[in-house]
Amino acid sequence: MFGGIIDGLTGNKNARLKGSVVLMRKSVLGLDVTSIGATVVDNITEFLGRGVTCQLISSTVVDPNNGNRGKVCAEAGLEQWLTTLPSLTAGENKFRVTFDWEVEKLGVPGAIIVKNNHASEFFLKTITLDDAPGRGTVVFVANSWVYPQSKYRYNRVFFANDTYLPSQMPAALKPYRDDELRNLRGDDQQGPYQVHDRVYRYDVYNDLGAPDCGNPRPTLGGSKDHPYPRRGRTGRKPNKSDPSTESRLTILDEDVYVPRDERFGHIKKSDFLGYSIKALVNAIVPAIRTYVDLSPGEFDSFKDIIRLYEGGIKLPKIAALEELRKQFPLQLVKDVLPVGGDYLLKLPVPQIIKEDKKAWMTDEEFAREILAGVNPMVIRRLTEFPPRSTLDPSKYGDHTSTITAAHIEKNMEGLTVQEALDCNRLYILDHHDNFMPFLIDINNLDGNFIYATRTLLFLRGDGTLAPVAIELSLPELRDGLTTAKSEVYTPTSATGAEAWVWHLAKAYANVNDYCWHQLISHWLNTHAVMEPFVIATNRQLSVTHPVHKLLQPHYRDTMNINSLARQALINGGGIFETTVFPRKYALEMSSVIYKNWNFTEQALPDDLIKRGMAVADPSSPYKVRLLIEDYPYAADGLAIWHAIEQWVTEYLAIYYPNDGVLQADVELQAWWKEVREIGHADLKDEPWWPEMQTVAELAKACATIIWTASALHAAVNFGQYPYAGYLPNRPSVSRRPMPVPGTKEYAELECQPEKVFVRTITSQFQAIVGISLLEILSSHSSDEIYLGQRDTPEWTSDAKAQEAFKRFGARLTEIEKRVVSMNGNPQLKNRNGPGFPYTLLYANTSDRKGDAAGITAKGIPNSISI
């Protein structure tokens, strides 16, 4: 192929190849607090001449004196600065570059070396050759931070945006491809890694505790008792008191190491800082409890909680606030901390109470959120009655539910239990087995009174669910077994204390569900399980590999947000332990749950079938049929899953015409082996792992990765503030037992029901810190890239792949219209909450301008980036 191209190039022997370079300066990009006021590269002329040099690499002519690598041309410096081009976004600079390129000696360019001779890094976006011999336009997509050359042990090489399986890589470029993967693996570098290092290695979660300060946590990963997905290695020093654990950074230190290209983009970084300041400010609230409430540290009524959103809290002028103001650039904090006057903390009104302050209390809304709230992936169809337990009877005895037919048949539209089971009308939100093994330890923590709950739901004739019974269970030690002591509550038409007992039963069930959502559905099943895939892809698949190009957008910022989580959210004493009831046992609990994680069941159709929410149906385009037709998460999710699956299948067919090509792909086989044997090493012997011998297996695996990183994460993440920003609707803790008739607590419930309710759930301090965190987590950034979008239009030179991707975007836009139409259908009663519709799986592919920034409960970003 290349020979033919070169034969046709004789007339252009000493071509000067012209091109352009688009980069962004550090001073524009990072709101790097440490460098504000310090010297940064502001003078654009410093990039000209020898400041940045580029050398093209031939894809067709090898240099026998350089290990048969492609020949390299002379260095070319950047020329004048082109700023007037409308295609540039804010902060981008475009330069000309001209290469001396003798076609007969050098052939066709296929890669480029870029050297930074400055003192400071810059962000290289793309390099474009205008009219390369035999090629026309050639684009080198970098999207990478380039540090000063002295920081690297090797040259930074960027490949043209062509796609090659390892066996198809031009021989002249193959050594560069292998070098780049070796550099990214960094297996000879132990660390501690510096900010400019580009090393992707694995480690266990041994950095959550601080044993040297008397606050240890168990290491997660690498043991039978505490299996866990791996995280990115930082190489930090071990703790003195327990050398098997890694030392933690202080608040004043730099961020936790992640490879620099995994760190937030510029606009997102500034948004995140702004929101983070808010969270820090909110965390100071305990210092002013007395200003807020007559009874220190407690809410007395729903009105007290609503005051957080309507009037705000006046914060006193304390040193910590003044310090914050000095540390951060003014434009970042002026909305949060008004200059002069009062420090007013005011949180936005969550959607759940925007139009109706009490609608959350109804049974209809409680049940609707199980299908269309933030945790709609736990409900399952009941197939036997009473519900049974899977806990080991030799340790726990008989934990079969105490709910009887008499409890529930009065609310089942005339059906018997057996009839309801036979026609798929009984469902359960079952957290009993999830929490029972941990409750003795958890309830020994100060301020905790947690039940293990089962909630039974009946599917009514109008397609909505109704809660018909809630069982609250506590562990009881009897004859060496941890048995259950249970009480069953049912809906009541009575008013007064009886009605409030039912409201409290729903709140205890929601406490279980809130914790499971945060710890398992959100943290474990999206953030934690995805990180090994990010690491393995960067270590084993070249940027020119089709699967790398397919998956890379779905990894953006994931390692970074996970490292921030380890630093401040899921660490010992972090915000998660502070606000959610398992506290110091939380992450350890997630490790027990991970033992049962199964990659193949993360695919939505498989998950729905496993939970009995759908049955196989070959006649459906999705190959499954929902048993609750109006199940918004599943109905929208299946449409998105199908679009992802179609896109992946079409894309992979371009590169893998048959299974033999896939089996011979050495990079792909190394990637999958590493995901299984190192990234998820503690589960490597599970029988469910795909063998990765067929194109169909690869398509399903890639679709599952993309689904998890995009739609699944969006479904569990971006509704957090809209639903749980009002704590009574989704409390994170319960602190008191259910009041019993004849006691003074019950008498108090009769006289001051709201006060008893709000003092049973999350405390004021926990509530304000918790919802401040949810405000950050639920916000879309202004530079969000949604499913069906790419940050760089020239991500591939392959026209077939570009066409398939366009079809994917068009399908997603059609699904958006379908979501809007279904939300407008009055017969689909589960799709609309009090004043707001279900849009968590509205892809937002059609939004190209960042209009959906903020808390919108709408949009599927490509990746887990917050």
Side-chain angles (χ1 to χ4, degrees):
M1 173 189 164
F2 290 115
I5 292 173
I6 291 169
D7 291 343
L9 300 180
T10 52
N12 191 10
K13 290 184 181 172
N14 293 310
R16 303 199 79 199
L17 286 187
K18 289 193 177 300
S20 55
V21 176
V22 177
L23 57 78
M24 300 175 86
R25 292 167 289 150
K26 178 188 177 187
S27 55
V28 174
L29 280 164
L31 273 161
D32 181 357
V33 178
T34 56
S35 73
I36 289 177
T39 56
V40 287
V41 182
D42 264 325
N43 186 351
I44 202 68
T45 57
E46 289 185 30
F47 283 108
L48 302 178
R50 313 305 292 167
V52 177
T53 63
C54 305
Q55 291 171 280
L56 290 172
I57 300 171
S58 173
S59 62
T60 54
V61 180
V62 301
D63 180 352
N65 299 321
N66 187 22
N68 281 333
R69 287 169 164 73
K71 276 197 168 177
V72 178
C73 78
E75 288 188 344
L78 302 192
E79 298 158 27
Q80 86 254 32
W81 177 24
L82 311 171
T83 52
T84 54
L85 292 155
S87 61
L88 295 180
T89 57
E92 289 183 359
N93 301 122
K94 190 165 187 173
F95 300 87
R96 285 201 191 287
V97 62
T98 306
F99 300 94
D100 287 327
W101 187 262
E102 287 186 59
V103 173
E104 287 190 342
K105 287 187 181 173
L106 296 169
V108 180
I112 192 164
I113 295 168
V114 177
K115 291 179 182 170
N116 175 1
N117 300 314
H118 284 297
S120 188
E121 69 273 22
F122 60 82
F123 187 74
L124 179 63
K125 294 199 77 172
T126 56
I127 300 174
T128 306
L129 299 181
D130 301 332
D131 191 13
R135 285 294 306 268
T137 303
V138 176
V139 183
F140 303 92
V141 175
N143 287 330
S144 180
W145 288 92
V146 179
Y147 276 78
Q149 189 63 21
S150 59
K151 301 279 189 191
Y152 297 119
R153 306 184 300 170
Y154 48 83
N155 287 331
R156 292 300 311 275
V157 173
F158 301 97
F159 296 95
N161 59 347
D162 303 319
T163 306
Y164 298 108
L165 293 176
S167 60
Q168 298 162 340
M169 191 76 174
L173 296 179
K174 180 104 178 56
Y176 293 102
R177 177 173 178 147
D178 296 342
D179 288 348
E180 176 69 351
L181 285 172
R182 200 176 304 110
N183 293 333
L184 291 171
R185 288 197 281 268
D187 288 336
D188 59 339
Q189 290 178 263
Q190 293 308 306
Y193 303 122
Q194 303 302 311
V195 65
H196 55 267
D197 283 319
R198 303 171 62 236
V199 171
Y200 291 82
R201 294 184 66 190
Y202 300 91
D203 213 335
V204 292
Y205 280 72
N206 62 352
D207 62 341
L208 299 177
D212 291 356
C213 306
N215 190 28
R217 291 292 179 275
T219 291
L220 306 183
S223 69
K224 206 171 174 195
D225 289 341
H226 294 121
Y228 222 59
R230 298 302 188 260
R231 62 164 174 98
R233 177 180 166 84
T234 69
R236 288 200 307 271
K237 291 187 180 114
N239 285 300
K240 291 190 178 80
S241 58
D242 181 359
S244 70
T245 61
E246 187 173 271
S247 57
R248 293 187 54 75
L249 296 175
T250 69
I251 295 298
L252 301 172
D253 285 319
E254 291 281 309
D255 292 331
V256 173
Y257 167 78
V258 291
R260 186 66 180 95
D261 291 344
E262 301 297 329
R263 292 274 288 283
F264 288 142
H266 58 300
I267 306 174
K268 177 168 280 190
K269 177 82 172 186
S270 59
D271 289 351
F272 190 83
L273 278 173
Y275 286 125
S276 298
I277 294 163
K278 244 183 183 174
L280 289 171
V281 171
N282 300 354
I284 297 165
V285 168
I288 45 121
R289 280 180 179 144
T290 47
Y291 287 78
V292 183
D293 203 302
L294 293 169
S295 53
E298 289 286 1
F299 296 119
D300 284 337
S301 65
F302 296 144
K303 198 179 270 181
D304 280 356
I305 299 173
I306 285 167
R307 209 173 287 141
L308 285 174
Y309 319 106
E310 292 185 344
I313 299 173
K314 277 188 183 179
L315 303 178
K317 285 194 173 182
I318 59 175
L321 283 173
E322 293 298 331
E323 205 44 49
L324 274 180
R325 206 177 265 224
K326 282 181 207 157
Q327 273 183 10
F328 291 92
L330 187 63
Q331 76 271 17
L332 227 59
V333 291
K334 66 177 184 219
D335 294 336
V336 185
L337 305 175
V339 179
D342 298 317
Y343 290 105
L344 192 69
L345 166 68
K346 192 174 173 186
L347 292 152
V349 180
Q351 276 96 321
I352 191 70
I353 55 165
K354 249 185 188 154
E355 290 197 9
D356 185 336
K357 303 276 188 290
K358 293 283 175 76
W360 64 273
M361 296 183 78
T362 65
D363 286 2
E364 288 78 9
E365 180 57 19
F366 169 79
R368 189 193 74 83
E369 288 184 25
I370 292 170
L371 295 173
V374 284
N375 197 30
M377 54 282 298
V378 180
I379 181 175
R380 60 183 175 82
R381 181 164 52 92
L382 202 59
T383 54
E384 57 179 357
F385 188 87
R388 303 181 74 78
S389 168
T390 57
L391 295 174
D392 180 353
S394 69
K395 289 182 188 170
Y396 294 96
D398 184 6
H399 276 248
T400 301
S401 174
T402 58
I403 299 172
T404 64
H407 284 125
I408 63 174
E409 285 184 346
K410 58 192 174 191
N411 289 311
M412 283 172 33
E413 296 179 352
L415 296 181
T416 66
V417 166
Q418 194 53 51
E419 286 167 341
L421 288 173
D422 290 344
C423 56
N424 303 323
R425 304 273 297 269
L426 277 177
Y427 293 83
I428 187 168
L429 187 70
D430 192 348
H431 285 300
H432 180 96
D433 292 0
N434 295 339
F435 292 107
M436 184 57 77
F438 305 98
L439 278 191
I440 290 175
D441 285 338
I442 285 170
N443 283 339
N444 275 331
L445 297 170
D446 280 348
N448 264 2
F449 201 96
I450 313 295
Y451 294 97
T453 67
R454 288 183 175 115
T455 303
L456 243 59
L457 301 130
F458 174 71
L459 180 61
R460 298 194 293 204
D462 66 357
T464 63
L465 288 174
V468 289
I470 294 174
E471 180 183 56
L472 305 182
S473 303
L474 290 169
E476 191 171 58
L477 293 172
R478 199 186 304 148
D479 303 328
L481 298 172
T482 306
T483 61
K485 183 182 179 189
S486 304
E487 196 74 43
V488 177
Y489 300 87
T490 57
T492 174
S493 54
T495 53
E498 257 185 79
W500 281 94
V501 164
W502 176 240
H503 288 314
L504 280 167
K506 290 185 290 183
Y508 290 121
N510 272 333
V511 166
N512 276 191
D513 200 57
Y514 180 96
C515 173
W516 189 264
H517 162 255
Q518 289 290 17
L519 193 59
I520 308 303
S521 304
H522 186 190
W523 166 254
L524 178 67
N525 286 348
T526 66
H527 285 259
V529 300
M530 279 303 290
E531 188 157 348
F533 290 97
V534 182
I535 299 169
T537 301
N538 281 283
R539 285 171 55 86
Q540 299 298 344
L541 297 178
S542 161
V543 291
T544 62
H545 194 288
V547 175
H548 189 288
K549 286 183 192 283
L550 174 68
L551 296 179
Q552 191 271 332
H554 305 288
Y555 297 153
R556 171 175 144 137
D557 296 334
T558 301
M559 287 184 75
N560 188 48
I561 189 65
N562 286 2
S563 75
L564 283 166
R566 298 201 314 275
Q567 195 171 14
L569 303 183
I570 63 168
N571 57 302
I575 290 183
F576 197 88
E577 286 193 5
T578 304
T579 58
V580 181
F581 71 76
R583 306 233 281 275
K584 68 179 183 181
Y585 301 113
L587 269 285
E588 193 177 342
M589 216 173 100
S590 72
S591 134
V592 173
I593 307 304
Y594 173 67
K595 289 176 184 176
N596 297 315
W597 181 78
N598 176 331
F599 175 71
T600 59
E601 288 172 357
Q602 307 310 302
L604 180 62
D606 301 59
D607 168 58
L608 293 169
I609 286 171
K610 181 191 177 189
R611 291 188 285 117
M613 301 303 289
V615 290
D617 179 2
S619 69
S620 157
Y622 311 139
K623 304 291 181 280
V624 297
R625 177 171 55 82
L626 291 174
L627 295 178
I628 299 180
E629 197 179 320
D630 183 14
Y631 180 3
Y633 161 72
D636 296 355
L638 283 170
I640 296 288
W641 167 267
H642 185 54
I644 292 170
E645 199 172 40
Q646 280 178 288
W647 148 238
V648 169
T649 303
E650 288 175 21
Y651 176 83
L652 291 175
I654 300 168
Y655 307 102
Y656 295 104
N658 57 60
D659 296 339
V661 174
L662 177 139
Q663 290 160 14
D665 182 343
V666 290
E667 285 183 5
L668 186 89
Q669 296 302 329
W671 169 69
W672 194 246
K673 181 179 164 68
E674 186 165 292
V675 162
R676 175 177 174 167
E677 295 183 5
I678 303 177
H680 285 280
D682 301 329
L683 302 179
K684 71 177 189 292
D685 297 323
E686 294 296 328
W688 44 256
W689 282 103
E691 293 293 326
M692 209 48 76
Q693 293 298 298
T694 67
V695 180
E697 282 180 314
L698 177 61
K700 177 89 178 277
C702 290
T704 303
I705 290 167
I706 294 171
W707 161 261
T708 304
S710 59
L712 180 62
H713 181 258
V716 297
N717 185 72
F718 292 101
Q720 291 185 93
Y721 193 84
Y723 284 109
Y726 184 60
L727 250 295
N729 186 49
R730 298 279 297 169
S732 61
V733 177
S734 52
R735 299 180 284 155
R736 297 176 172 190
M738 177 72 89
V740 177
T743 62
K744 74 176 193 328
E745 289 81 9
Y746 197 84
E748 191 187 1
L749 186 67
E750 289 176 308
C751 304
Q752 295 181 291
E754 277 192 24
K755 183 175 179 182
V756 171
F757 187 98
V758 297
R759 292 201 173 194
T760 297
I761 62 168
T762 316
S763 74
Q764 186 185 53
F765 170 62
Q766 290 170 315
I768 294 169
V769 173
I771 59 182
S772 301
L773 173 65
L774 295 187
E775 187 194 359
I776 299 168
L777 297 182
S778 306
S779 299
H780 285 291
S781 73
S782 46
D783 65 344
E784 201 83 85
I785 299 169
Y786 293 99
L787 195 62
Q789 299 177 352
R790 288 265 176 165
D791 59 358
T792 309
E794 311 88 350
W795 63 277
T796 179
S797 62
D798 193 323
K800 283 185 186 168
Q802 290 278 17
E803 284 305 314
F805 188 66
K806 267 191 204 142
R807 288 193 293 275
F808 177 45
R811 286 184 199 116
L812 292 170
T813 306
E814 283 306 308
I815 294 168
E816 290 176 8
K817 292 175 189 162
R818 176 178 173 270
V819 167
V820 171
S821 158
M822 287 166 77
N823 285 343
N825 181 345
Q827 285 183 317
L828 299 175
K829 294 181 165 56
N830 297 326
R831 295 198 66 92
N832 285 279
F836 71 110
Y838 186 77
T839 53
L840 289 170
L841 291 178
Y842 175 99
N844 212 33
T845 310
S846 53
D847 173 18
R848 303 266 165 194
K849 297 178 185 165
D851 292 338
I855 299 172
T856 58
K858 175 170 138 180
I860 303 175
N862 267 329
S863 62
I864 300 165
S865 57
I866 195 74

